[in-house]
Amino acid sequence: PQASGIDPDTLIDASTPNGTLHTWTDISSQLKQFHSEFPDALGLAGYTVSQDGNICSIGNTGERIKGQLQPLTATGDTRFHIGSVTKSMTAVLLATLIEEGTIPNGWEAKLGALIPSASKGTPYTSVTLRQLLGMQSGLPANPPYWLLVWNRVVGWWFGKTLRQQRAEATAYARKSKPESVPGTSFL
C-alpha cells in the first residue's frame, strides 16, 4: 500500500461475498470533509470499484435518517437507492456500446430496431437513441398518475412491488400518444 501512496492506517480488511479477504481504502474522512460543505444533507457514502469488479475504497458519513442520530453505515453489501443516477449511467453504457460498435447506427439507432417487442405497435418505433436520451422522443414527461406509479409507499399500499410499478409505467408509455413530434421539442 505505501508504494501506491495509500496510508496503511486507512485500510479495512473485509470478506467479500465469495468469502475471500479483500482490503479496501477507507475514504470516510474525505467524504466527511465534502459532507461538511452541505450541512443539511443526509448521509453520504462512496465506493470505488476496479475494472474487474473489486471494491477498492469505501466510506461513509452522516445520518441514515435526518434527525434520528442513526449513523449511516456502508459496507460492501450495503444497497442504496440511486434514483436519477441511472440516467447518466444509462448514457455511459450506451455510449460504450456504441463506441464498441455493438449498436448498429449508434445514436441514430431506432427503438423499433433495438427493442421491437417493446416498441411494436407504438408511435415510438422510429424514435432514435439520441432523441430518447435527449428527452426529445415525444414521450410524455410523467404519467398522469405519477405518484401512484412511482411512489413506493403508495405502491406498497396497493401491494405492488417496485418492479410491478415500473412495468405499469412502461405499459403507460407504450399506450401514450406523443406530446410532440420526436426530435422537435424537449419534454
Side-chain angles (χ1 to χ4, degrees), residues 79-84 152 162 166:
R79 293 179 177 219
F80 293 92
H81 181 71
I82 57 174
S84 290
R152 294 179 80 179
L162 191 55
R166 289 177 177 160

Side-chain angles (χ1 to χ4, degrees), residues 3-151:
S4 65
I6 297 172
D7 179 356
D9 293 333
T10 66
L11 297 177
I12 303 168
D13 288 330
S15 293
T16 59
N18 65 8
T20 60
L21 190 65
H22 186 72
T23 303
W24 301 326
T25 302
D26 185 354
I27 57 171
S28 295
S29 61
Q30 292 93 329
L31 292 173
K32 282 179 187 170
Q33 182 179 354
F34 178 77
H35 191 249
S36 69
E37 297 175 27
F38 304 94
D40 292 329
L42 291 173
L44 178 66
Y47 303 85
T48 59
V49 181
S50 67
Q51 286 183 324
D52 58 1
N54 290 319
I55 295 174
C56 301
S57 63
I58 187 170
N60 57 281
T61 186
E63 299 175 312
R64 178 169 290 284
I65 300 171
K66 189 75 172 167
Q68 291 193 6
L69 303 178
Q70 179 185 13
L72 174 70
T73 56
T75 69
D77 296 323
T78 304
R79 293 179 177 219
F80 293 92
H81 181 71
I82 57 174
S84 290
V85 172
T86 57
K87 295 172 189 172
S88 58
M89 289 172 34
T90 299
V92 168
L93 291 171
L94 284 170
T96 301
L97 292 172
I98 288 168
E99 187 174 281
E100 291 174 351
T102 305
I103 298 178
N105 301 320
W107 295 110
E108 302 312 314
K110 296 185 177 177
L111 294 182
L114 295 173
I115 46 174
S117 62
S119 60
K120 185 178 180 181
T122 73
Y124 304 107
T125 56
S126 63
V127 168
T128 66
L129 285 178
R130 181 181 314 278
Q131 293 166 337
L132 187 64
L133 269 63
M135 299 181 154
Q136 296 181 334
S137 66
L139 277 165
N142 298 313
Y145 52 93
W146 179 252
L147 288 176
L148 291 177
V149 173
W150 293 108
N151 185 314

Side-chain angles (χ1 to χ4, degrees), residues 163-181:
R163 185 178 298 265
Q164 289 169 324
Q165 293 172 59
R166 289 177 177 160
E168 284 183 19
T170 302
Y172 169 79
R174 291 187 70 222
K175 293 176 185 174
S176 69
K177 293 184 174 142
E179 290 189 2
S180 66
V181 174

